[in-house]
Amino acid sequence: MFVQRVLPPAARRESWTVLGNDGPVAPIERYLAYLTDIERSPNTVKAYAHDLKDWFLFLAGRGLDWREVRLEDVAGFIAWLRRPPAARTGSVAVLPSVEHHCGESTVNRKLSALSAFYQHAGRNGIDLGELLVTWQPAGRRGTGWKPFLHHISKGEPQARRTVALKAPRKLPRVLTVAEAQAILDACQRLRDGFLFALLWETGIRIGEALGLRHEDLQLVSE
């Protein structure tokens, strides 16, 4: 089973599919075609193809039908992803000192792909749409972030993944002075150099920088 790039003659956008021994894997093909039709990025479609390929490889190795899986099978999939590929058949023992093959963020991304896949299948009659999604009462999220139109939907239950690994937070890497200077030296336009210098000196986000107006700047002459 492998992921294959697809470029239909009559289409303007490339897509991806997952091929098995008998051609495209039908359930995956339907979902990836749906993503392509609604104009998801080819990189997004490619990532979903790889994630769903791993899921169907896991199911095939255990003789499971994708339409009849249980939450325990999802837990087994997580453990399968964490093992090195050579040990996923179960014939090779994995020592505790061996690092996980897939990190927490990668596993969570693959679970998100499965959740979207099964929700789409649920809309087409496969009653597993909420296999990886549960509903929690509103206002229980441990964050200050509020979605768009929160004042309208704040009293409604919110969807969240049933299974997710706790991923460690990674601090962004800060450019060194030499790296920042190399970027400035490579700028051939004054506008570009000003933009990068502004980002470096102030630490503001790119969206904030692009939204600045002349009246937002207080220039001080030395």
Side-chain angles (χ1 to χ4, degrees):
M1 195 176 295
F2 61 96
V3 175
Q4 176 65 48
R5 180 174 176 261
V6 178
L7 188 59
R12 297 182 179 180
R13 298 171 62 86
E14 70 174 6
S15 185
W16 299 82
T17 190
V18 177
L19 299 177
N21 295 331
D22 301 323
V25 181
I28 302 179
E29 175 67 17
R30 286 194 297 270
Y31 182 59
L32 297 181
Y34 162 75
L35 293 179
T36 302
D37 289 342
I38 62 175
E39 299 186 358
R40 289 290 186 265
S41 163
N43 289 334
T44 299
V45 179
K46 180 181 179 182
Y48 273 73
H50 282 282
D51 296 338
L52 294 175
K53 180 209 70 174
D54 286 343
W55 172 241
F56 275 74
L57 276 175
F58 167 77
L59 296 179
R62 283 156 179 76
L64 298 173
D65 190 315
W66 72 276
R67 295 160 295 190
E68 299 177 358
V69 293
R70 299 176 301 173
L71 200 57
E72 291 79 5
D73 299 320
V74 178
F77 178 57
I78 294 175
W80 183 84
L81 288 172
R82 302 282 261 173
R83 299 190 195 109
R88 286 177 175 174
T89 60
S91 59
V92 179
V94 180
L95 298 177
S97 58
V98 176
E99 295 185 359
H100 292 306
H101 179 71
C102 289
E104 292 84 355
S105 298
T106 301
V107 172
N108 288 337
R109 191 203 71 217
K110 291 179 180 294
L111 293 178
S112 294
L114 289 189
S115 178
F117 169 74
Y118 275 107
Q119 289 182 65
H120 175 265
R123 298 187 185 101
N124 290 278
I126 305 299
D127 192 21
L128 286 172
E130 295 189 1
L131 174 69
L132 292 171
V133 176
T134 187
W135 295 89
Q136 66 175 11
R140 294 281 299 277
R141 296 177 66 95
T143 175
W145 177 83
K146 301 272 190 312
F148 182 60
L149 298 180
H150 170 72
H151 60 287
I152 296 177
S153 61
K154 62 181 179 181
E156 300 178 358
Q158 300 169 349
R160 60 173 296 179
R161 286 202 308 273
T162 303
V163 183
L165 297 185
K166 186 176 181 180
R169 293 186 177 182
K170 296 182 180 180
L171 295 176
R173 189 178 72 85
V174 180
L175 294 177
T176 65
V177 175
E179 292 171 334
Q181 189 61 53
I183 293 176
L184 293 175
D185 293 340
C187 293
Q188 299 180 356
R189 297 182 180 180
L190 184 61
R191 178 200 62 187
D192 299 337
F194 172 74
L195 175 61
F196 280 107
L198 180 66
L199 296 175
W200 168 256
E201 293 290 345
T202 63
I204 63 176
R205 299 175 182 270
I206 184 65
E208 295 171 326
L210 297 177
L212 288 174
R213 298 293 181 267
H214 286 95
E215 55 268 23
D216 297 327
L217 302 178
Q218 185 177 1
L219 302 179
V220 178
S221 57
E222 296 183 357

